[in-house]
Amino acid sequence: MKKFLVSSFILVLYLTLWPTISNAGTFMVGAKGWYASWDSAILDWFEQDIAIGFRENRLTLTADSDPGEGYLAGPLFGYQTSDGKWSFSFAPMVFSSFSQDWHGTAGSMVLTSDVDLERKDFDLAASYTLTKYLKVFFGYKFQDMDLDFTLSYDTLVGPQTFRYKVESMVHIPTVGVGGVYPLSEKFVTGLQLGVLYAIPELNLIKIDTGEVEDIEPWPSLGFNGEATATYQLFESFIVQLGYRYQVFTLEARGPGRVEKTKSYDITHGAILSAVYVF
């Protein structure tokens, strides 16, 4: 319910602003997709939390996981004021699919897992043009992530299987600068760099018992950057190809733990947008 309320707030905020700015200017409607490599902080954090549990039983966990691969996609809405100074955009990337492998050992036990990752990104951004080539931007991202993790291993008393779910919501305000350089009337390149502040909320659910436990996280700084190439394919149709990199730190203490663990959430990959301008 909380995720639904936050997502609804973002949409209502955007729709509230729309009538205010719609007296003049240029509107854009289209679609946006991000094919990315995602090294999930919640999976890495959970791995470290499991390692603490094994260590308390005098076992050392050695684990290995490759960054997940998948995509995020959704509609794109934009507006630019008639003087070209202000631009606004909203991209609810609600369609996604990611997979990530994980396996490990603890003592003589071989650990296997079934990992299911879900993610939705809601991006709200505004930029202001300072000069022909320079702009500043402000943004807010709501990143909604779920991790379903089934852990299995054999013990002296037989096989053991545990099922967990980690729910993560991250509020990410960001600010930065961007530059554009037109190569022709129809072809423009751009680069933007920003600093973000990640404010996470996490819950750990033990599926087998239904027990819900709060995880205590701390906010952290992060970074994002994006290089783009924009081309006006037709008079009212624009395509943009880019590459985006985003990283922030997840530092949290699990239920009943004394020590904190730190993980990095890293997403990077190609972005493709197509918009109709009117």
Side-chain angles (χ1 to χ4, degrees), residues 113-131:
S113 69
D114 181 19
V115 180
D116 185 17
L117 288 165
E118 295 183 5
R119 173 172 168 176
K120 296 180 179 66
D121 283 15
F122 299 84
D123 285 322
L124 184 63
S127 65
Y128 182 77
T129 301
L130 298 174
T131 69

Side-chain angles (χ1 to χ4, degrees), residues 8-261:
S8 299
F9 169 76
I10 296 172
L11 182 58
V12 169
L13 176 63
Y14 189 77
L15 293 178
T16 301
L17 289 173
W18 188 278
T20 305
I21 61 179
S22 62
N23 292 329
T26 302
F27 293 91
M28 289 162 278
V29 176
K32 185 175 186 177
W34 187 7
Y35 185 81
S37 169
W38 179 28
D39 196 357
S40 167
I42 52 176
L43 178 57
D44 186 57
W45 175 87
F46 191 58
E47 175 189 311
Q48 294 185 60
D49 191 69
I50 293 173
I52 294 174
F54 278 111
R55 193 161 61 244
E56 291 173 350
N57 291 286
R58 299 183 179 181
L59 290 171
T60 300
L61 172 66
T62 302
D64 184 35
S65 63
D66 297 323
E69 289 188 358
Y71 69 88
L72 288 157
L76 175 62
F77 308 97
Y79 172 79
Q80 185 179 63
T81 56
S82 57
D83 60 4
K85 289 291 187 180
W86 283 99
S87 296
F88 304 88
S89 67
F90 177 53
M93 289 192 282
V94 295
F95 305 104
S96 71
S97 176
F98 282 94
S99 61
Q100 189 163 1
D101 295 326
W102 186 94
H103 56 273
T105 59
S108 61
M109 296 184 298
V110 176
L111 282 63
T112 59
S113 69
D114 181 19
V115 180
D116 185 17
L117 288 165
E118 295 183 5
R119 173 172 168 176
K120 296 180 179 66
D121 283 15
F122 299 84
D123 285 322
L124 184 63
S127 65
Y128 182 77
T129 301
L130 298 174
T131 69
K132 181 180 179 181
Y133 303 108
L134 185 65
K135 66 178 181 179
V136 293
F137 69 88
F138 317 90
Y140 168 76
K141 171 183 282 191
F142 174 65
Q143 192 166 304
D144 179 10
M145 303 172 290
D146 287 338
L147 165 66
D148 289 305
F149 191 93
T150 301
L151 179 65
S152 302
Y153 53 90
D154 291 326
T155 68
L156 295 176
V157 295
Q160 301 288 319
T161 299
F162 301 94
R163 295 185 299 159
Y164 304 91
K165 185 182 186 70
V166 181
E167 297 178 334
S168 173
M169 297 181 293
V170 189
H171 306 270
I172 310 177
T174 182
V175 62
V177 296
V180 295
Y181 187 79
L183 299 179
S184 69
E185 290 185 358
K186 293 187 176 183
F187 189 48
V188 178
T189 58
L191 176 67
Q192 62 181 38
L193 304 172
V195 176
L196 57 87
Y197 188 64
I199 309 168
E201 300 176 28
L202 295 97
N203 289 316
L204 173 64
I205 303 171
K206 297 179 179 179
I207 302 297
D208 299 311
T209 63
E211 185 179 358
V212 180
E213 298 180 321
D214 289 331
I215 302 170
E216 186 179 4
W218 277 261
S220 67
L221 291 174
F223 164 83
N224 62 21
E226 184 174 348
T228 59
T230 306
Y231 184 72
Q232 183 181 354
L233 193 61
F234 305 111
E235 182 178 358
S236 300
F237 190 76
I238 295 173
V239 293
Q240 183 181 80
L241 179 64
Y243 196 91
R244 175 185 290 182
Y245 181 92
Q246 174 187 293
V247 58
F248 63 85
T249 303
L250 174 61
E251 188 172 10
R253 180 163 50 216
R257 307 297 191 199
V258 175
E259 60 186 284
K260 296 186 292 184
T261 57

